[in-house]
Each structure stands twice: as C-alpha cells, then as structure tokens.
C-alpha cells in the first residue's frame, strides 16, 4: 500500500483537465454522463449537476478560466442537442444505430411486460413502454402495450381511457 503522504492529491485543476480529456470528441450522451435511453429529466439533472460541479467559482479564475469556459461550451452544446425530444431521437439513432435502439427498446418492453402482466405495477409499466416507444417509434407492439398499460393505470378516468384507446388505434394503424 502507498503511504498517504506519498499519494498524489487530486487538485480541482487536475479534475477539470481530466474531465476535459474524457469529454473532447465524445458523443453528447457521454459528455453529459447519461445513457442513450435517458429521459429529458435525467438529462436536465445531469446538466445541472455537471455545470454546478465545474462552476467557475470552484476554480482559480486566472489559471482555470479558459478550461472551465471550454468545458461549459461542450456541456451547453451537448445539452442543446439532446434536451429537445425530436433532436434527441434523431441524434440517438445516428449515434447508437437502429439495431441497437431496437435491442434497448426490447429490453424496456420486457421490463414493462413483467410490470404490467405479472406485477400489476401499471404506472411503472407505462414508463417502460414510453421509453420503448421513444427508442423505437416504428414498433407497433410497443405502442399497443403502452396503450394497454395506460388504460389499466388511468381507468376509470374517461379522458385518460380515451387517450389509451387512441394509442392502441395508432398501434393498429402502424401494424
């Protein structure tokens, strides 16, 4: 074991430099330290955490100002690209690829199936099916199951039941 006195202490600047090294040239999801399947809320939380963690007030403005500014530029660009649902979907498909998206969506679908059919946890099932639909919007089964889970969760609210029926109708039109 290395004695404490000989261990190299990590300075804020070293942390900042390391973050920049690990961020440059990476995809937007990696820059924000989120998964490709992350929701808008998860992306917002990651962005807030990172901009807070690497706020200029935590560093020497004279020595580290340019590095902090560069990192914030990378974080901001990544955030703008993936916070919008439409942009995120297109970017995800470009970066991840349609096949991998289908694999990720199928995994969410299977979790949703278990929650819906076995555990009867309808709200959690809705979240899984929503994620599957976002990842693979071309897949009618995912949308049909989302409609079913939404129906089970929302019943007997007539407005929500109508919304669930519309989802199932859209799934049938896709099929």
């Amino acid at each position: 074991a290395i004695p404490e006195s000989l261990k190299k202490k990590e300075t804020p600047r070293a942390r900042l430099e390391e973050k920049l090294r690990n961020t440059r040239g990476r995809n937007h999801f990696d820059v924000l330290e989120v998964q490709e399947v992350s929701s808008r809320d998860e992306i917002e939380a990651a962005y807030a955490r990172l901009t807070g963690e690497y706020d200029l007030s935590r560093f020497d403005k004279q020595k580290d100002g340019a590095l902090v500014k560069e990192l914030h530029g990378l974080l901001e660009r990544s955030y703008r690209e993936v916070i919008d649902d439409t942009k995120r979907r297109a970017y995800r498909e470009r970066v991840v690829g349609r096949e991998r998206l289908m694999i990720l969506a199928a995994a969410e679908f299977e979790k949703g199936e278990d929650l819906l059919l076995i555990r009867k946890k309808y709200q959690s099932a809705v979240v899984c099916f929503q994620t599957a639909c976002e990842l693979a919007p071309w897949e009618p089964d995912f949308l049909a199951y989302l409609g079913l889970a939404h129906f089970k969760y929302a019943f007997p609210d007539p407005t929500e039941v109508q919304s669930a029926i519309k989802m199932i109708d859209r799934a049938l039109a896709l099929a």
Side-chain angles (χ1 to χ4, degrees), residues 32-63:
L32 294 170
E33 299 178 4
V34 295
Q35 296 178 0
E36 290 95 353
V37 298
S38 294
S39 68
R40 179 184 179 91
D41 291 342
E42 291 167 324
I43 291 166
E44 286 176 346
Y47 177 73
R49 179 182 56 78
L50 289 167
T51 55
E53 186 177 333
Y54 294 98
D55 186 74
L56 186 55
S57 66
R58 295 176 174 245
F59 297 91
D60 183 318
K61 290 178 186 172
Q62 297 291 16
K63 294 179 184 175

Side-chain angles (χ1 to χ4, degrees), residues 4-171:
E4 277 301 312
S5 61
L6 297 178
K7 285 185 181 178
K8 187 176 178 181
K9 302 262 189 238
E10 187 179 76
T11 65
R13 182 177 178 93
R15 236 182 60 248
L16 176 61
E17 288 172 339
E18 169 98 13
K19 177 63 179 163
L20 271 168
R21 262 192 314 279
N22 292 332
T23 300
R24 291 180 184 125
R26 303 298 300 261
N27 74 51
H28 297 311
F29 298 112
D30 289 343
V31 169
L32 294 170
E33 299 178 4
V34 295
Q35 296 178 0
E36 290 95 353
V37 298
S38 294
S39 68
R40 179 184 179 91
D41 291 342
E42 291 167 324
I43 291 166
E44 286 176 346
Y47 177 73
R49 179 182 56 78
L50 289 167
T51 55
E53 186 177 333
Y54 294 98
D55 186 74
L56 186 55
S57 66
R58 295 176 174 245
F59 297 91
D60 183 318
K61 290 178 186 172
Q62 297 291 16
K63 294 179 184 175
D64 305 327
L67 294 176
V68 170
K69 188 174 180 177
E70 179 185 354
L71 179 58
H72 276 262
L74 293 168
L75 292 170
E76 175 67 25
R77 188 178 63 188
S78 293
Y79 177 77
R80 276 188 278 119
E81 185 67 31
V82 298
I83 196 62
D84 177 82
D85 294 339
T86 304
K87 283 182 172 182
R88 182 172 61 254
R89 194 173 297 120
Y91 182 75
R92 183 185 291 136
E93 194 165 331
R94 274 194 326 270
V95 170
V96 177
R98 196 172 174 116
E99 263 181 58
R100 179 148 158 66
L101 284 176
M102 191 60 187
I103 291 167
L104 294 169
E108 286 296 315
F109 177 79
E110 287 175 14
K111 279 195 279 186
E113 249 185 338
D114 176 59
L115 291 164
L116 175 68
L117 301 174
I118 297 169
R119 299 177 189 215
K120 311 287 189 231
K121 294 186 176 184
Y122 304 128
Q123 184 177 13
S124 298
V126 166
V127 171
C128 289
F129 293 130
Q130 282 173 331
T131 302
C133 287
E134 184 179 320
L135 292 169
W138 61 85
E139 182 55 53
D141 290 350
F142 299 168
L143 187 56
Y145 272 78
L146 174 59
L148 176 61
H150 190 78
F151 178 85
K152 293 277 201 177
Y153 175 66
F155 189 80
D157 182 325
T159 305
E160 294 301 318
V161 167
Q162 280 297 53
S163 175
I165 290 169
K166 285 179 185 175
M167 285 179 214
I168 294 168
D169 285 343
R170 280 197 331 262

